[in-house]
C-alpha cells in the first residue's frame, strides 16, 4: 500500500499563506496527529488532503475520493436525518448494501455506543454522540485514508476514549489516519505528530523525537523566569533558554512543553 | 448604554447586506412607489375597425391611443387580436352602435377604459372580454402561482442549500464519491417537484374556489411553469453560492423578490409605469410568467400569442441555471476546478 500525504503544500488565502511549504506523509496503519493553535493551518492542511480546497502550489498524494473518509470540523452529519438515515445515505453514496453494510453498520454502531439511538435525529444527539456518528460515517466504507478534523473537540472524556478506540481500530485495519487535534495529550497517542504554527511546520516526528527535537533548553523551576520565556505547569514553571540552560532541572515532559518551547524559540 | 450603541453601529457597519438593505431598500421603495405604484392608466393601446372607423378616431378621448385603423377588418379579427393580446381595446364599428371590446385580463386598463366609455354615454356599447365582471381574483390567481413558484424557487431552495453549507455537510458531499451532477440534481429535484405540486394545488384551488376560468391548454401552461421554475431555482442556487448563512440567503432572496412583486405587472400595470421603471420590470422573470399565466388562464392564448414571453423565459432559464450549476459545481469540486484551470493555463 502506498503512503499518502502532501509535498511542499502551500495554500494562500486573501494574500496570506494559510499553509507554507508543508510536507506530510502518512503510511497505512499509521496515525499522524496535526496539532497547533487556532489559525495554525490544521484544517487547511486536512481539507487540501481531502480535495475540498485547491492548493496554490505543491502536490497532494491521496487515494480516489471513494477511498477517502473525511470528517469535517462541523461534524458532517445531516442533522435532520436519523442515525440510521445518515448511515443509509452515506452507504448508498458508496454503493454499500446487503450483508457488508449490515455487518459494518452493526460494528460501527456498537463501537460508537449508538446502537440504541438509531432512530434519533442527529440534531437531538449529544455532541459526543454526534461526533461518533460522524466518525462512523467517515469509516463506513473502510477508507484507505481517514482524515479527521478535530474529532474530539467539545467531546466529554468518556466519548473521547470511545473515539480513540475507534480511531485505533481503523488504523489497525490498515487505514492511514491524519487527525487534527487541539488536545496535546491525544497527540502523544499518535504514531507521529506534526506541530503547525502560522502555516509552517514547527516540529515533526514520533512523539519521543518531537520531545527530543525542541531547540534550546527547557528546565523545570519553582520560580518564574523571563515572562516571555516562562510558562506554568501545575504549581511549577518551565523556563526556556536558547543557549545556556537556566537554573533548574532539565525537563520536556510532554508534547505541550515541546509545543510551547518551540513556539517561544520561533519567536525568539 | 453608549458602549452598546457604539457596538451595534460597528456591527452594522460590517454587515454589508444589512447596510445595503438599510440604504438601498428605502431608495428602491421610494422609486417604485413614487413612479411605478400607479393604478391610473394614461394611455390604452386601441385599434378601430369597420366602416365608421375614421369617425370614431376623430371623436375618441385622448386616453385611447389609436394604433391600427382597419376599415376592412371583421369582428372575428378583433376577437383574435384580443385573444393574442395584440391590443387592449378594439372599437368595432361594424355594429350599431359601435362595440368596444375591452381586455378584462388587464384589470386597471379595463377599468379606465370602462369609465371613459361610460362618459361617452350610448355612443359605444362595451363588451369586456375574458373577465366580464372585472374580478380581481381572476387576474391575481394566475399571477400568484408565479409568485408562489418564485418563493419556493428562490427562498426555500437557497435556504436548503445554505443549510448544507452551514452544517458542514456540503464539504462532506464534496469528498464523497458522488458526481457533482448527482449532487446538484439530487438537491434541486425535490424543490422542483414540491414547487410543481404547489402549482397544481394553487391552480386547482384558484379554479375551484375563485371560479377563475382556465381557457387555454394545460400542457402549455405546465411547460411555461416548468421553464419559469428553472429560472427561479437557478436564482435560488445562485443566492446559496454567495451566502454563508440562512439569514443571508433570506435577506438576498427578499431583495430579489420584492422588485418582482412590485414591477412584474402583477399588482401595478406595466403600461402605467414610466418607461425606465417598466424596463426594469421587463428584465424580471415573473413579468413573463404573469403574461403566460394570465394569457393561458383567461384569454386561452396559444403559443403563437405567447412565443415572446416563452422565448425570453427560456433564454433566462438557460443563462441563470447554467450559471448556477457552474458556481455550485465549483463549490463542490474545488480541486477538480483547480486542476482544470491549471491544465488550461
Amino acid at each position: 500500500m502506498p503512503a499518502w500525504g502532501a509535498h511542499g503544500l502551500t495554500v494562500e488565502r486573501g494574500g496570506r499563506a494559510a499553509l507554507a511549504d508543508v510536507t506530510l506523509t502518512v503510511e497505512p496503519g499509521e496515525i499522524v496527529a496535526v496539532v497547533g493553535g487556532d489559525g495554525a493551518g490544521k484544517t487547511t492542511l486536512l481539507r487540501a488532503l481531502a480535495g475540498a480546497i485547491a492548493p496554490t502550489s505543491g502536490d497532494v498524494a491521496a487515494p480516489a475520493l471513494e477511498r477517502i473518509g473525511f470528517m469535517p470540523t462541523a461534524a458532517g452529519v445531516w442533522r435532520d436525518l436519523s442515525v440510521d438515515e445518515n448511515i443509509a445515505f452515506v452507504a448508498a453514496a458508496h454503493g454499500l448494501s446487503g450483508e457488508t453494510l449490515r455487518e459494518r453498520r452493526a460494528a460501527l454502531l456498537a463501537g460508537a455506543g449508538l446502537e440504541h439511538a438509531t432512530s434519533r435525529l442527529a440534531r437531538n444527539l449529544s455532541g459526543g454522540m454526534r461526533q461518533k456518528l460522524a466518525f462512523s460515517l467517515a469509516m463506513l466504507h473502510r477508507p484507505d485514508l481517514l482524515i479527521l478534523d478535530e474529532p474530539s473537540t467539545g467531546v466529554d472524556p468518556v466519548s473521547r476514549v470511545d473515539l480513540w478506540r475507534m480511531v485505533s481500530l481503523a488504523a489497525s485495519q490498515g487505514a492511514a489516519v491524519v487527525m487534527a487535534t487541539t488536545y496535546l495529550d491525544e497527540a502523544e497517542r499518535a504514531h507521529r505528530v506534526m506541530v503547525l504554527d502560522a502555516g509552517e511546520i514547527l516540529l515533526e516526528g514520533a512523539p519521543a523525537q518531537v520531545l527530543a527535537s525542541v531547540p534550546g533548553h527547557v528546565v523545570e523551576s519553582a520560580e518564574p523566569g523571563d515572562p516571555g520565556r516562562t510558562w506554568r505547569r501545575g504549581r511549577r514553571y518551565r523556563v526556556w533558554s536558547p543557549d545556556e540552560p537556566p537554573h533548574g532541572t532539565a525537563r520536556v515532559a510532554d508534547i505541550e512543553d515541546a509545543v510551547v518551547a518551540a513556539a517561544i524559540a520561533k519567536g525568539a | 448604554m453608549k458602549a452598546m450603541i457604539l457596538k451595534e453601529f460597528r456591527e452594522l457597519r460590517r454587515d454589508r447586506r444589512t447596510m445595503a438593505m438599510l440604504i438601498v431598500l428605502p431608495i428602491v421603495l421610494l422609486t417604485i412607489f413614487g413612479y411605478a405604484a400607479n393604478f391610473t392608466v394614461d394611455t390604452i393601446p386601441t385599434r378601430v375597425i369597420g366602416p365608421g372607423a375614421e369617425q370614431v378616431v376623430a371623436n375618441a378621448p385622448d386616453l385611447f391611443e389609436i394604433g391600427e385603423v382597419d376599415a376592412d377588418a371583421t369582428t372575428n379579427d378583433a376577437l383574435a387580436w384580443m385573444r393574442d393580446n395584440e391590443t387592449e381595446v378594439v372599437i368595432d364599428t361594424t355594429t350599431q352602435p359601435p362595440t368596444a371590446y375591452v381586455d378584462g385580463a388587464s384589470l386597471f386598463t379595463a377599468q379606465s377604459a370602462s369609465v371613459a366609455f361610460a362618459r361617452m354615454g350610448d355612443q359605444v356599447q362595451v363588451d369586456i372580454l375574458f373577465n366580464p365582471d372585472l374580478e380581481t381574483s381572476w387576474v391575481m390567481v394566475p399571477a400568484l402561482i408565479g409568485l408562489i413558484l418564485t418563493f419556493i424557487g428562490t427562498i426555500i431552495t437557497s435556504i436548503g442549500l445554505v443549510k448544507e453549507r452551514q452544517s458542514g455537510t456540503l464539504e462532506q458531499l464534496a469528498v464523497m464519491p458522488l458526481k457533482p451532477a448527482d449532487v446538484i440534481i439530487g438537491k434541486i429535484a425535490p424543490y422542483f417537484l414540491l414547487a410543481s405540486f404547489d402549482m397544481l394545488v394553487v391552480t386547482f384551488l384558484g379554479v375551484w374556489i375563485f371560479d377563475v376560468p382556465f381557457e387555454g391548454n394545460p400542457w402549455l401552461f405546465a411547460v411555461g411553469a416548468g421553464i419559469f421554475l428553472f429560472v427561479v431555482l437557478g436564482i435560488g442556487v445562485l443566492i446559496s453560492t454567495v451566502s454563508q448563512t440562512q439569514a443571508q440567503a433570506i435577506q438576498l432572496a427578499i431583495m430579489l423578490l420584492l422588485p418582482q412583486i412590485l414591477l412584474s405587472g402583477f399588482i401595478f400595470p406595466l403600461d402605467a409605469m414610466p418607461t425606465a421603471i417598466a424596463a426594469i420590470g421587463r428584465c424580471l422573470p415573473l413579468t413573463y410568467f404573469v403574461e403566460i399565466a394570465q394569457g393561458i388562464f383567461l384569454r386561452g392564448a396559444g403559443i403563437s400569442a405567447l412565443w415572446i414571453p416563452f422565448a425570453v423565459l427560456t433564454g433566462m432559464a438557460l443563462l441563470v441555471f447554467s450559471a448556477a450549476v457552474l458556481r455550485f459545481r465549483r463549490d463542490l469540486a474545488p480541486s477538480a476546478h483547480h486542476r482544470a484551470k491549471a491544465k488550461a493555463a
Side-chain angles (χ1 to χ4, degrees):
Chain A
M1 290 283 274
W4 310 114
H7 184 77
L9 202 65
T10 297
V11 177
E12 285 178 1
R13 286 274 177 85
R16 195 184 68 87
L19 271 187
D21 196 22
V22 170
T23 295
L24 167 88
T25 311
V26 54
E27 304 278 348
E30 192 181 37
I31 302 172
V32 174
V34 181
V35 300
D38 293 335
K42 304 185 296 290
T43 296
T44 307
L45 173 61
L46 266 52
R47 293 179 71 207
L49 267 181
I53 54 169
T56 311
S57 64
D59 299 309
V60 170
L65 275 184
E66 51 267 35
R67 301 303 310 149
I68 294 179
F70 179 51
M71 176 179 170
T73 333
V77 298
W78 285 269
R79 297 168 76 94
D80 291 328
L81 296 184
S82 69
V83 170
D84 251 349
E85 289 164 345
N86 266 283
I87 293 175
F89 171 59
V90 174
H94 286 285
L96 292 173
S97 60
E99 197 51 37
T100 317
L101 173 61
R102 263 193 297 279
E103 272 173 27
R104 290 190 192 176
R105 179 185 166 280
L108 284 168
L109 286 176
L114 289 169
E115 63 276 61
H116 302 300
T118 51
S119 55
R120 271 170 73 179
L121 293 184
R123 70 173 131 95
N124 294 333
L125 296 175
S126 69
M129 290 167 98
R130 206 155 45 227
Q131 297 289 89
K132 285 188 281 186
L133 171 61
F135 179 86
S136 304
L137 297 180
M139 262 309 287
L140 192 63
H141 58 297
R142 299 252 169 98
D144 295 333
L145 176 60
L146 184 57
I147 301 166
L148 311 169
D149 196 357
E150 300 195 19
S152 53
T153 299
V155 171
D156 69 84
V158 177
S159 292
R160 273 175 71 189
V161 172
D162 289 341
L163 263 171
W164 258 98
R165 193 185 307 122
M166 294 167 82
V167 172
S168 303
L169 182 67
S172 70
Q173 288 170 344
V177 183
V178 183
M179 64 179 288
T181 178
T182 48
Y183 298 116
L184 298 174
D185 58 317
E186 272 187 355
E188 285 179 34
R189 299 177 59 168
H191 297 100
R192 284 192 301 117
V193 179
M194 174 183 274
V195 183
L196 286 178
D197 181 66
E200 293 174 353
I201 298 176
L202 213 51
L203 296 169
E204 203 214 342
Q209 282 176 315
V210 167
L211 298 191
S213 63
V214 173
H217 304 273
V218 178
V219 295
E220 184 179 282
S221 165
E223 299 297 325
D226 175 354
R229 293 178 173 179
T230 300
W231 65 100
R232 195 167 181 155
R233 295 298 302 270
R235 293 170 177 274
R236 312 280 293 176
Y237 295 91
R238 301 278 199 278
V239 183
W240 178 82
S241 166
D243 32 49
E244 282 300 303
H247 182 68
T249 319
R251 185 166 164 81
V252 180
D254 50 25
I255 298 278
E256 186 173 339
D257 281 341
V259 169
V260 178
I264 293 173
K266 188 187 172 195
Chain B
M1 189 178 73
K2 192 178 150 197
M4 188 72 202
I5 292 171
L6 197 65
K7 170 218 142 244
E8 204 59 36
F9 269 123
R10 280 188 173 144
E11 282 182 336
L12 267 176
R13 200 183 66 201
R14 285 179 191 133
D15 184 354
R16 288 185 188 169
R17 292 182 195 212
T18 305
M19 281 303 280
M21 275 189 103
L22 278 170
I23 296 167
V24 177
L25 214 58
I27 297 172
V28 170
L29 289 178
L30 188 73
T31 313
I32 291 173
F33 281 102
Y35 289 110
N38 185 6
F39 295 117
T40 316
V41 180
D42 295 328
T43 53
I44 299 174
T46 306
R47 290 184 185 181
V48 187
I49 62 165
E54 295 302 332
Q55 193 190 343
V56 168
V57 171
N59 296 335
D62 291 343
L63 176 68
F64 299 101
E65 190 183 40
I66 311 284
E68 205 174 312
V69 179
D70 188 343
D72 301 327
T74 63
T75 303
N76 283 341
D77 293 330
L79 294 175
W81 292 338
M82 296 297 286
R83 190 196 60 224
D84 294 348
N85 203 24
E86 287 181 25
T87 184
E88 300 286 353
V89 170
V90 177
I91 302 175
D92 179 1
T93 61
T94 58
T95 60
Q96 220 25 264
T99 306
Y101 296 108
V102 176
D103 181 1
S106 304
L107 197 62
F108 297 108
T109 309
Q111 282 169 345
S112 300
S114 303
V115 171
F117 285 126
R119 285 203 191 111
M120 292 170 74
D122 296 336
Q123 291 178 48
V124 175
Q125 60 174 340
V126 179
D127 187 355
I128 297 175
L129 303 175
F130 318 125
N131 182 9
D133 297 328
L134 293 179
E135 294 274 0
T136 309
S137 60
W138 284 28
V139 180
M140 282 291 173
V141 168
L144 209 60
I145 294 169
L147 192 64
I148 289 165
L149 295 186
T150 309
F151 182 77
I152 296 177
T154 52
I155 299 189
I156 310 288
T157 308
S158 60
I159 288 175
L161 290 172
V162 170
K163 196 164 94 177
E164 196 95 55
R165 183 192 305 276
Q166 218 176 343
S167 63
T169 44
L170 192 66
E171 208 167 59
Q172 184 90 326
L173 291 174
V175 297
M176 278 165 73
L178 296 166
K179 289 186 200 126
D182 292 344
V183 177
I184 296 167
I185 295 169
K187 278 300 293 184
I188 294 173
Y191 297 105
F192 191 94
L193 293 174
L194 282 174
S196 305
F197 175 74
D198 265 4
M199 179 196 75
L200 282 177
V201 171
V202 177
T203 305
F204 279 116
L205 286 180
V207 172
W208 182 46
I209 298 176
F210 297 103
D211 287 329
V212 181
F214 194 108
E215 301 290 348
N217 183 339
W219 295 111
L220 186 64
F221 179 68
V223 171
I227 297 169
F228 180 66
L229 250 181
F230 271 106
V231 183
V232 289
L233 283 171
I235 294 172
V237 176
L238 278 179
I239 289 173
S240 78
T241 61
V242 294
S243 304
Q244 294 303 317
T245 64
Q246 295 183 35
Q248 282 182 352
I250 294 171
Q251 222 172 29
L252 200 55
I254 288 175
M255 281 169 87
L256 291 176
L257 194 64
L258 205 60
Q260 303 224 59
I261 296 173
L262 297 171
L263 299 180
S264 61
F266 145 46
I267 299 175
F268 307 112
L270 277 175
D271 291 339
M273 293 178 197
T275 320
I277 303 287
I280 300 173
R282 296 256 166 240
C283 298
L284 304 172
L286 188 58
T287 306
Y288 298 96
F289 181 77
V290 169
E291 271 184 41
I292 291 174
Q294 289 179 343
I296 295 175
F297 262 76
L298 304 179
R299 283 191 292 271
I303 188 71
S304 59
L306 295 172
W307 71 270
I308 293 177
F310 264 95
V312 175
L313 268 188
T314 307
M316 284 181 173
L318 287 173
L319 196 74
V320 174
F321 205 73
S322 309
V325 168
L326 286 176
R327 275 210 60 121
F328 194 59
R329 199 184 162 91
R330 202 173 64 172
D331 282 1
L332 272 176
S335 294
H337 176 73
H338 176 76
R339 277 197 294 274
K341 228 167 58 177
K343 213 177 266 180

